[in-house]
Structures are given as structure tokens and as C-alpha cells.
Amino acid sequence: MLFGEPLHVNVSRASTRFETIQRAHSRQLESPSREEEEQAGENLGFDLRKWLRGRQQAAGPPFAKRAGLSFKDLSIYGTDVSNKHIATLITPFWKLIKGVRTGWGIPAMLSGHGSKRQLTHSFSGLVREGEMLLVLGRPGSGCSTLLRVLGNQRKTYTAIEGRVSYGGLSPEEIEKHFRGEVAYSAEEDTHYPTITIRRTLEFAIECKTPSTKVLANPKRYQQDVLDMLLDMYGLRNSADNILMRASGGEKKRTSIAELVATGAAVEIFDNSSRGLDSSTALDYARSLRIGADVLQKTIIATLYQASESIYELFDKVMVIDEGRQLYFGPTTEAVAYFEALGVKKPARQTTSDFLSGLTQMNERQTVPGFEDSAPITAVDFEQ
């Protein structure tokens, strides 16, 4: 017996639908040049994705819609709020005394330390175009902090050290010239509750429709892309429902479809499956897989309590605990890596739960013979 919503998302069906839309609008574009025709061959037709990529590279800076993401020695600092207290009547007098004793914070400000707290320690990783990275960690381990910075949401942090590259472009270049190419989706879905799913997607598509210099019939393009998104993400039957009456899974899939409509090359999803049942969460993960397989997006997501079916959809996994990076690599090699260090995965435990509880002594099991040498803390695993 199945509980929750039925599965609506089919990756292979979505791929076929995308290829149909591509072929239809490849024939509506301006005629290719003689050189392009010779390269493509008389019987191969004109390729939409190849032509658009060439237009982007010829028109401006070489930022294609396909872009990987790399980060090296990434350390993030925030404000230390451990010494904050609830204000009372004596708080102004206490601040006056404290200001006199500490020189009003001027020495700390000049030294660059102040109340700065290190949230992550030298994270490094690489996600290529068309790949999906799953970030695992217990609440408070630093997953959301990492994803916000990778999504170029940097203003809330006091200092960021290390290097982040989006297809060879720095975060400053992305912020100034290509802000729409890196999309960050927070935990909560933010929609206008009184409009329909169809109208929500129509508006997103209209905002990113190419000009008539690229498309001969923009209206038909908008309608075809809308139909494609509704089919790809299983929203056809609920397209005319207003969002306040949509289920949690429908809202999540609408958010993903909106991001696809924007055409962003890098998509970041911060615990967006919270509150979904198992079948709906699997639908959500399959929707992300479509973006990676069909559109060659670079996708990074953090999910708590991911099932084995969801875990297997990802290409790479990153394990974080207490702001320390314990592992980064293929999902298929993570368990073997930690078992080689002396931590055993229980037979009936999901891989994501095993990776998230590596430092929990009351949860984990040790491989016989490694009782004295197996790592215990996050620092031990990092080293």
C-alpha cells in the first residue's frame, strides 16, 4: 500500500519531451551560416543548443549556459552571538562599563578579529556540468551556510576566504554581470498564493523568452516551453489550481520549474524537501535529476533523511559535521571509504543516515579490530 502522493515525475519521458521541443524550435531560428551548415552536414539539420552556445560565446564574455562549480579552501566566518544577552534595565550601564574596559571595540576592529566566528573550515570540491551534489550533515553542521555562499548569497557573513569559481568566473563577476546564472532556492517556497500554477510558470517563461532575432514565433515558443514544463514535472492536472490550494509536492515542483524557466546554469536547493512525504520527496529529487540530465545543469542540494532511492540519484556526496568536511566524492564510494577508516554501516540503515551520524557514538558501529584507531570527532575524520 502506498502513502502520500503518487509519483508524477518520469526522467526518461521528460528527456523525450525536451528533445521534441528542441527539434521544433531549431527549425524556427534564423537560417544558419554557410559554415554552420557545412559543419552540421546536409542531413543532420540545425542544432539549437549548439547554435545558442555559439551565439553566447560570440556576443559577449564566454559564459555558456553550461557551467561547472568549483571551490577550494573555502572558509566562512559569521558573527559570534554566543555572548549576546537579553536586554534588561541595567543593560545600558553594563554596555558603558564594558565599552570603557574594552576600548569601545576599537582594538578588536583594528585587529580584524572582533566577534568573528569560523563557520566552515577549508572546504574543497568540484561539481561538473550535468552533475548533482548531495550535501549531508546534521542541523547546525554548516550545510545551509555552504549552500548560501555557493549560491552567491554572501552579504550576511563577515568574511569569506578561499576561492569559488563558476565556470571560470569569480563571484564578483557573477554578481555584476551574470546574476541570473546562479539560482538559490531557500527552504520555504515563496509564491503568490492567489494565482494558478500555470500563470506562475507563464510569467517566469515570459521574462526569459528570447527576442524575435532568435525566435521567429516567441508566442509559440512560450506555449511549447510551458507545456514541456507541465509535462516534465507532473503539473498538467493541477495547472489551473491556485497555489494556496496546491499540495506541498506541487509547490516544490512549481519552484523547480520556475528555476528551469530562468535558464540558470547553477542551481542550489537548500533543504527544499522539508515537510514532504517519502514519495513526494522522491518526485522532487527526480525533478532535479531531469535538470541535470536534460539541461546539463549543475545542481547542489542538501536533504535531511534522504531515502536510498533519492541518494542513488546523485552523482557526488559531501559530508559535513561541525563545520568540517569529512568526505567529498562519488556517492558509490562513500560507504567503502568510511568502512576503511573503521566505521561500519549497519545492514538496514540508509546511506544518508549512516553518513550523517558518523560522529554520533551512540548510533555508529565500529569495524572489529578498529576499536582504538577509528576516528571519533569531526576533526579526526577531517585529518
Side-chain angles (χ1 to χ4, degrees), residues 332-354:
T332 55
E333 301 177 7
V335 173
Y337 171 80
F338 287 107
E339 287 184 343
L341 295 179
V343 183
K344 181 181 178 181
K345 176 183 176 296
R348 297 187 177 182
Q349 189 178 36
T350 63
T351 304
S352 63
D353 288 342
F354 166 70

Side-chain angles (χ1 to χ4, degrees), residues 183-208:
Y184 172 80
S185 177
E187 294 187 22
E188 301 293 338
D189 294 303
T190 304
H191 300 290
Y192 285 102
T194 57
I195 63 176
T196 64
I197 294 175
R198 183 187 303 275
R199 183 56 193 143
T200 299
L201 297 181
E202 284 176 347
F203 178 76
I205 295 169
E206 289 169 2
C207 290
K208 301 295 288 188

Side-chain angles (χ1 to χ4, degrees), residues 97-247:
I97 298 173
K98 184 179 178 181
V100 174
R101 291 176 55 189
T102 60
W104 305 102
I106 295 177
M109 181 177 61
L110 295 176
S111 64
H113 297 291
S115 59
K116 187 168 63 175
R117 176 188 175 190
Q118 188 167 2
L119 304 176
T120 66
H121 299 75
S122 299
F123 287 176
S124 298
L126 169 65
V127 189
R128 295 184 174 89
E129 57 190 44
E131 289 185 342
M132 290 174 57
L133 169 66
L134 175 63
V135 181
L136 291 177
R138 295 178 300 143
S141 61
C143 295
S144 295
T145 299
L146 173 64
L147 264 63
R148 283 183 61 85
V149 172
L150 294 182
N152 218 24
Q153 308 290 316
R154 295 170 160 245
K155 296 181 180 179
T156 57
Y157 301 103
T158 58
I160 299 175
E161 298 176 353
R163 180 176 178 271
V164 179
S165 175
Y166 304 90
L169 296 176
S170 67
E172 292 76 19
E173 291 174 305
I174 291 292
E175 178 69 20
K176 186 175 181 181
H177 300 292
F178 308 102
R179 189 179 302 175
E181 301 299 341
V182 179
Y184 172 80
S185 177
E187 294 187 22
E188 301 293 338
D189 294 303
T190 304
H191 300 290
Y192 285 102
T194 57
I195 63 176
T196 64
I197 294 175
R198 183 187 303 275
R199 183 56 193 143
T200 299
L201 297 181
E202 284 176 347
F203 178 76
I205 295 169
E206 289 169 2
C207 290
K208 301 295 288 188
T209 299
S211 67
T212 54
K213 295 180 179 180
V214 177
L215 296 176
N217 192 341
K219 291 295 183 182
R220 181 184 170 187
Y221 168 83
Q222 293 172 2
Q223 185 60 47
D224 286 347
V225 172
L226 174 62
D227 291 339
M228 177 189 71
L229 293 178
L230 293 176
D231 290 339
M232 284 173 65
Y233 297 108
L235 296 169
R236 172 70 62 184
N237 296 332
S238 57
D240 295 319
N241 296 339
I242 60 175
L243 279 158
M244 69 166 54
R245 296 179 182 175
S247 66

